[in-house]
Amino acid sequence: MTPPTDTLDRLAGVIASRMPANGGDPEASYVARLLHKGPDAFLKKIGEEAGETLMAAKDLQHGQGTPEALVGEVADLWFHSMIALAHFGLSPADVVAELARREGLSGLEEKALRQAKARDGEA
């Protein structure tokens, strides 16, 4: 099985190659078209895909959906999120590093730490 980070890195490379600054053609590429339209276009898609992910999970919860449908929607959500990352000069490696940083932290501890930083004006 291919390590997930290899797949994400390859996909990030394809997305980067479709950026307008790298000659991505909005007439020939869906990714280039979204990036050419700007953040509102791909952020709208992220919202749509998040809603579809939610609905697929609810359908599965109630015995009306399939695991494959949920996986497909999460894949769409991740894909469009990767377009946003690329637009803002970030990569899947940045997300993986953040997840690694959080590893071993209690979710409640991590949330409290974020809230304390926000109160103290830290980023």
Side-chain angles (χ1 to χ4, degrees):
M1 179 176 201
T2 303
T5 53
D6 290 353
T7 301
L8 293 173
D9 288 343
R10 281 195 311 277
L11 182 54
V14 170
I15 291 169
S17 76
R18 308 281 166 80
M19 295 187 74
N22 295 331
D25 180 2
E27 297 298 318
S29 164
Y30 172 74
V31 171
R33 188 174 318 132
L34 279 178
L35 289 165
H36 178 75
K37 289 180 179 180
D40 286 348
F42 57 78
L43 295 175
K44 179 180 177 186
K45 284 301 294 179
I46 290 170
E48 289 173 11
E49 298 303 342
E52 291 171 7
T53 298
L54 181 136
M55 294 309 298
K58 294 297 279 182
D59 286 348
L60 190 56
Q61 176 185 11
H62 295 290
Q64 298 170 347
T66 65
E68 295 81 13
L70 178 57
V71 168
E73 294 302 341
V74 171
D76 290 345
L77 178 59
W78 285 17
F79 176 76
H80 289 90
S81 295
M82 288 178 65
I83 293 172
L85 288 171
H87 174 81
F88 293 109
L90 300 165
S91 73
D94 296 307
V95 176
V96 171
E98 176 60 14
L99 291 171
R101 183 192 69 76
R102 295 179 185 186
E103 188 175 10
L105 280 179
S106 148
L108 296 175
E109 273 181 73
E110 196 277 332
K111 183 177 180 181
L113 183 60
R114 278 188 288 128
Q115 289 173 339
K117 285 182 177 183
R119 278 192 309 271
D120 293 342
E122 296 178 30

